[in-house]
Amino acid sequence: MNEIPGGRPHAAVSRTTGAPSPADHTGDTAPGTAPRRPRPTRRRTLAAALGLAGATALAGTLGGCSVPAPRRGGPTADPAPGMPITGSRRAQLMQIMAHPDDDLYFMNPDCQRMVDAGVPLVCVYVTAGEHNGKNHIPGRTGETVADKEDYSSARHQGLRQAYAQMIGLDRFTPWQKGVATLRGDRQAEINTLAHGNRRVELVFLNLAMHAPRRWMALPSLWEDRALGLRTVIATDSPVRRADTYDYDGLVDVLVGLLERYRPTVVHTLDPDPDIQHSDEATRKKDSEQPGYSDHGDHTAVASFSWAALVRWVAEATADGGAIPAFTTTSFRGYYNRHWPKNLPEPVLREKAAHLVPYGGDPSWQCGNAAGCGDYMVGGRRPLTNKKGWVRSTHHRHPGTGPVVATGPDGRLTVYGVLGLRAVRWRETEPGSGQWTEPDDLGGGPLAPALGAATLLDGRQLLFGLRFAALGGHGGANRREVAVLEQRSPGGPFLAWSGLGNPERDDDRGRRIGVPVAVTAPDGRVHLFVRDAGKGVSTRVREADGTWGPWRGLDGAEVQDGLSAAVDGRGRVHLFATGRDRVHHWAQERSGGPVAFRADGPALPVPGGPVDTAATPDGGLALYYRRPEARELTAVRPDGARLAAPAFDGYGPVVAVGTPKGPVLLGRDLAGRVRLHVAGRDAVRTRGVVALGPATPHLGPKGALAVGIGADAYPWSWASHTDTA
């Protein structure tokens, strides 16, 4: 095994995002003739002498020769462990989006749950959302007059209406408007509104969506180091001058905002969308970039966001500084179009309701002369849109909650990802529910979900999806699976080791999912990941610690969020969500190869990840919710239906088998943590709002739920004592 080298991490995105792409989801598809667009600027450089590495940026030209300036070097993230971590325990959510409405379509209901709990929110919108300037009014005949400044302003007003209503105010409540000075002396409009313990700030960077000879400007800004992109001044904005952004300028501005707000939770879009081949007419209708299941602006902004997160950590830790304590979640975008929908009707209607005030209506008296929303989005259109974006919420890196283990002294240990790095918290005393400050285990930059396996001797293995290289301008974009192995049970760890990637091509390698692992009775560890072809690849660690090669498994296309388990006969099983059924891989005998069960029964189609629990008879049971269903489904791998407890809610369910029946952990319809133990239910109503799935743990006093809160700190809750 090779130790992961410390190298300069960059920031990432598809090599195809610079190609001609469709409009964003609120506007039309690309017309035959492009509207007038802001003029880009180019920096011209002169090399001091042929072959010298240094280049000096000049304002003019020399002899008609133009050479782009090299990208500025930045601080380097160090994957070595042992750095200090600092956190205020003051929850703060920051969302970074490409377009106005990306948050409402793709990041809810997660965002709303935190706002409802009193977590302050700041939303950063990178583009002006101006598209071709046409704010179409549904049902109105005749040509819509194009006005980019008005259309941008109308979309801003729609956001103000949506968030005012979200925090419990009248949709037309006036906001405080101002100008924020950013890094590089750039300016952005900032809108602020507070109500009780709820506070929302909207930051509009307003970069142009399009540029001459580039239908999509942001993907080009990611790829082309010579491009400078002007901002759009929205009508009635307090910002009075346009700014120019290049690659480094946008990363720097995002880093400055991260440093200014110091979020404990960061929401981004998907930096590595699925490969998706549609015919050209369907692709344009669905507003997808060529070859991938998302909008090109989404991918570019997600990549800029991850580049900024990496740089923020690197700047903060330079010269012995501390890692900022934050968690990340990346949300799928147009991916939602291609898979079964996962939100039940009550949650869906709540989510879609926020798009009604955003879409607005031209008859409204909202006080904004440029427009009262993005008119093609309002009313019932989010629910009737055949693309179905609003009907699902998917995380790019789904997990089953933090890794929880019991140490030799009886204290619980929690492993998670903080500041893009693996960390470990320990209980101060056995059963106390109080936690030490986090220990930095290094390994970053890591995706937010860790996989884990416990060896037969009690040692822990942690698996992460590492952004091994993350760079624009044609730079490397690599992902790899990495492993951290414990030296002794409850003790220190060895150095991180790289396990590579089942895909040989870097672009395909970016599409892999989060690692899932399980230890078999023979001491072998089976590691699984979803690969670029939407299938499953595996790698096996032998009992002596050596790893075999990556091997692709036969099977059908699946979503990420795999579930691995060992049955009572010692056989390894793997389950994954397909388009029309649960897919199953298993060993025929203990110690044999894991293979696809092509002739297995057609298990009911799930709406999201499934989880697996042992049954008292040594078998396995699967627990999940069907598409758009609130009810729980329970089924054996052979197709036999099991009696499922009343456990209404949404999102994934995590299960643990016990002799008295399953322990189930999930969310109710209001997004609260719900625990089912010994036939009884309880809902967590106190404590900091939970992020993502929680982890059930069976201890000497019963079942315990352990999770990470919006303050980037662990919480634990036992339903039998109702403690938080």
Side-chain angles (χ1 to χ4, degrees):
M1 296 185 291
N2 297 320
E3 183 176 347
I4 293 175
R8 186 185 189 282
H10 308 289
V13 84
S14 163
R15 289 190 300 239
T16 66
T17 55
S21 255
D24 88 289
H25 39 274
T26 60
D28 299 322
T29 55
T33 56
R36 178 174 56 87
R37 301 160 183 152
R39 181 178 298 276
T41 62
R42 288 185 176 272
R43 295 175 295 174
R44 301 179 182 272
T45 64
L46 174 67
L50 185 63
L52 295 182
T56 305
L58 301 178
T61 65
L62 182 65
C65 178
S66 175
V67 180
R71 191 178 66 196
R72 179 185 48 129
T76 301
D78 184 357
M83 292 188 182
I85 303 174
T86 182
S88 65
R89 299 291 304 277
R90 178 190 61 84
Q92 169 73 59
L93 171 61
M94 175 181 281
Q95 302 189 135
I96 306 175
M97 285 76 62
H99 313 116
D101 80 1
D102 287 343
D103 40 354
L104 303 178
Y105 268 115
F106 308 119
M107 297 177 178
N108 266 337
D110 294 36
C111 166
Q112 181 191 341
R113 302 308 185 210
M114 279 186 270
V115 170
D116 288 347
V119 177
L121 168 65
V122 57
C123 296
V124 179
Y125 303 94
V126 174
T127 77
E130 84 289 0
H131 179 39
N132 60 9
K134 297 182 178 181
N135 193 3
H136 294 283
I137 299 174
R140 180 171 294 184
T141 60
E143 180 67 16
T144 300
V145 176
D147 189 318
K148 294 184 178 182
E149 292 78 9
D150 273 6
Y151 189 26
S152 178
S153 177
R155 296 185 75 174
H156 295 178
Q157 175 61 26
L159 288 169
R160 289 189 288 267
Q161 292 164 180
Y163 278 107
Q165 190 165 302
M166 185 183 289
I167 65 174
L169 293 170
D170 183 84
R171 66 182 60 164
F172 301 136
T173 301
W175 290 59
Q176 179 182 347
K177 292 185 178 181
V179 177
T181 300
L182 312 175
R183 286 191 179 184
D185 197 34
R186 296 177 177 87
Q187 293 185 342
E189 178 180 345
I190 182 169
N191 298 170
T192 305
L193 186 64
H195 177 54
N197 68 339
R198 303 178 182 183
R199 177 183 177 89
V200 178
E201 295 180 64
L202 311 178
V203 179
F204 301 111
L205 302 187
N206 259 42
L207 277 70
M209 287 181 61
H210 308 297
R213 299 180 300 280
R214 292 172 173 85
W215 179 243
M216 301 301 296
L218 271 171
S220 299
L221 190 69
W222 176 262
E223 295 289 350
D224 185 355
R225 69 173 185 260
L227 179 67
L229 191 61
R230 296 282 284 177
T231 59
V232 174
I233 306 300
T235 302
D236 291 334
S237 172
V239 175
R240 295 289 182 256
R241 62 172 171 83
D243 290 317
T244 300
Y245 281 80
D246 61 6
Y247 175 103
D248 283 307
L250 180 52
V251 174
D252 272 347
V253 161
L254 294 176
V255 173
L257 289 168
L258 290 164
E259 180 60 31
R260 177 177 186 166
Y261 287 97
R262 300 195 67 81
T264 52
V265 183
V266 180
H267 286 174
T268 81
L269 295 164
D270 182 357
D272 300 320
D274 273 7
I275 295 171
Q276 182 68 38
H277 298 293
S278 303
D279 63 82
E280 191 63 8
T282 302
R283 181 188 71 79
K284 288 185 175 182
K285 184 179 179 181
D286 288 353
S287 304
E288 294 185 349
Q289 60 188 296
Y292 300 89
S293 62
D294 212 346
H295 192 282
D297 282 355
H298 295 175
T299 309
V301 167
S303 301
F304 275 113
S305 302
W306 274 84
L309 291 168
V310 171
R311 189 176 291 184
W312 182 33
V313 173
E315 286 187 4
T317 55
D319 302 321
I323 301 164
F326 67 92
T327 65
T328 59
T329 301
S330 295
F331 290 82
R332 298 283 198 179
Y334 293 175
Y335 174 99
N336 294 356
R337 168 78 166 85
H338 301 282
W339 293 92
K341 307 303 181 281
N342 64 9
L343 294 181
E345 183 178 359
V347 182
L348 168 62
R349 292 194 174 278
E350 186 180 22
K351 177 181 178 180
H354 296 304
L355 283 155
V356 175
Y358 166 75
D361 190 277
S363 65
W364 287 0
Q365 301 299 312
C366 65
N368 187 55
C372 296
D374 189 356
Y375 299 141
M376 285 295 291
V377 175
R380 289 188 51 81
R381 281 175 288 279
L383 291 172
T384 58
N385 187 326
K386 294 181 180 179
K387 299 171 187 176
W389 295 321
V390 75
R391 295 181 175 272
S392 294
T393 299
H394 285 288
H395 294 172
R396 171 59 179 87
H397 306 107
T400 55
V403 178
V404 181
T406 302
D409 59 359
R411 292 188 298 164
L412 290 185
T413 300
V414 175
Y415 299 95
V417 176
L418 205 61
L420 308 181
R421 303 161 69 86
V423 298
R424 172 178 57 191
W425 294 273
R426 288 190 174 102
E427 270 190 309
T428 55
E429 298 290 340
S432 69
Q434 302 297 315
W435 307 92
T436 62
E437 292 303 309
D439 298 323
D440 171 41
L441 302 179
L446 296 174
L450 292 177
T454 304
L455 300 177
L456 297 184
D457 62 5
R459 290 182 295 138
Q460 188 76 50
L461 297 181
L462 299 177
F463 299 91
L465 175 58
R466 184 172 185 265
F467 287 69
L470 186 64
H473 298 174
N477 286 283
R478 291 191 303 275
R479 310 291 178 265
E480 72 171 337
V481 178
V483 61
L484 186 63
E485 181 175 329
Q486 204 167 33
R487 292 177 183 270
S488 59
F493 285 84
L494 301 169
W496 283 88
S497 296
L499 296 179
N501 190 307
E503 304 288 349
R504 296 184 179 182
D505 174 80
D506 282 354
D507 190 67
R508 288 180 61 85
R510 290 173 46 203
R511 319 299 156 186
I512 67 169
V514 296
V516 172
V518 66
T519 303
D522 61 6
R524 302 165 78 207
V525 175
H526 293 257
L527 173 67
F528 304 98
V529 297
R530 181 186 191 239
D531 54 37
K534 308 182 190 72
V536 176
S537 291
T538 183
R539 196 170 180 187
V540 177
R541 180 189 187 273
E542 299 296 334
D544 63 3
T546 60
W547 284 92
W550 284 105
R551 178 173 66 92
L553 299 178
D554 293 334
E557 291 188 343
V558 299
Q559 289 185 282
D560 206 8
L562 312 179
S563 178
V566 177
D567 67 16
R569 295 169 57 187
R571 298 176 300 176
V572 172
H573 295 255
L574 180 74
F575 300 92
T577 299
R579 299 182 191 279
D580 57 2
R581 62 187 293 180
V582 175
H583 294 293
H584 182 199
W585 293 258
Q587 294 174 321
E588 289 289 345
R589 56 177 176 78
S590 179
V594 175
F596 182 55
R597 293 289 185 91
D599 57 350
L603 301 179
V605 57
V610 304
D611 200 27
T612 315
T615 57
D617 62 3
L620 295 174
L622 280 66
Y623 297 92
Y624 56 90
R625 293 189 173 93
R626 302 197 66 184
E628 301 179 286
R630 67 176 78 181
E631 302 85 9
L632 188 66
T633 291
V635 62
R636 288 184 182 271
D638 62 6
R641 296 295 185 96
L642 297 172
F647 200 69
D648 286 5
Y650 72 95
V653 175
V654 186
V656 177
T658 77
K660 296 183 178 180
V663 172
L664 302 173
L665 187 59
R667 289 182 181 271
D668 69 4
L669 292 172
R672 301 172 300 183
V673 175
R674 183 174 185 177
L675 185 64
H676 176 90
V677 181
R680 303 173 69 178
D681 281 355
V683 174
R684 180 175 177 264
T685 58
R686 294 186 292 165
V688 65
V689 62
L691 298 179
T695 301
H697 179 77
L698 303 182
K701 295 183 179 180
L704 190 71
V706 182
I708 305 298
D711 58 354
Y713 200 74
W715 56 264
S716 61
W717 169 60
S719 61
H720 52 279
T721 59
D722 195 28
T723 59

